[in-house]
Amino acid sequence: MVDKQVISLIENSLVELDTLKKLGELPATQQLSIELKKLNASGELEAMNPLLTTYVASIVKNVGFLLGTYNSVHTHAENRTGELQELMAQLSKAAK
């Protein structure tokens, strides 16, 4: 017989994955990346402080990495949700 703890952990995992999926597309962070790129390209930062251009470019790069990582995690959450739901259905059948 299937251990009830495993089923409970699957249920809890599904709740966690659902929380990840609800975060959405991080629109403010995406827009910030776009605006920082524009600001950097405008030359305004260079006029304020020559070091700002490099600093903002680094931030844009890191925010881009963050967004890419988040998109990957979001995709994994979607895929694992389906797998865990299927496993739960199979285990529930076996438990009856």
Side-chain angles (χ1 to χ4, degrees):
M1 183 166 279
V2 176
D3 189 335
K4 289 182 181 183
Q5 181 183 9
V6 171
I7 291 176
S8 176
L9 288 170
I10 291 172
E11 290 170 343
N12 292 338
S13 290
L14 288 170
V15 169
E16 291 173 348
L17 292 173
D18 191 46
T19 299
L20 279 175
K21 293 187 301 182
K22 285 181 181 175
L23 287 176
E25 298 295 320
L26 304 177
T29 305
Q30 289 178 348
Q31 189 61 39
L32 173 63
S33 181
I34 292 166
E35 294 302 320
L36 287 176
K37 286 177 188 176
K38 288 179 189 176
L39 183 60
N40 224 11
S42 74
E44 290 179 51
L45 294 175
E46 183 77 26
M48 290 170 40
N49 182 337
L51 297 177
L52 281 176
T53 302
T54 304
Y55 182 61
V56 170
S58 177
I59 291 171
V60 168
K61 176 184 164 194
N62 289 327
V63 167
F65 182 75
L66 171 99
L67 291 169
T69 300
Y70 173 74
N71 288 334
S72 179
V73 168
H74 190 270
T75 299
H76 278 292
E78 286 283 343
N79 293 339
R80 299 309 71 83
T81 295
E83 292 171 351
L84 290 177
Q85 287 172 335
E86 180 59 31
L87 177 60
M88 178 85 98
Q90 295 298 319
L91 294 177
S92 295
K93 288 179 188 176
K96 290 182 181 179

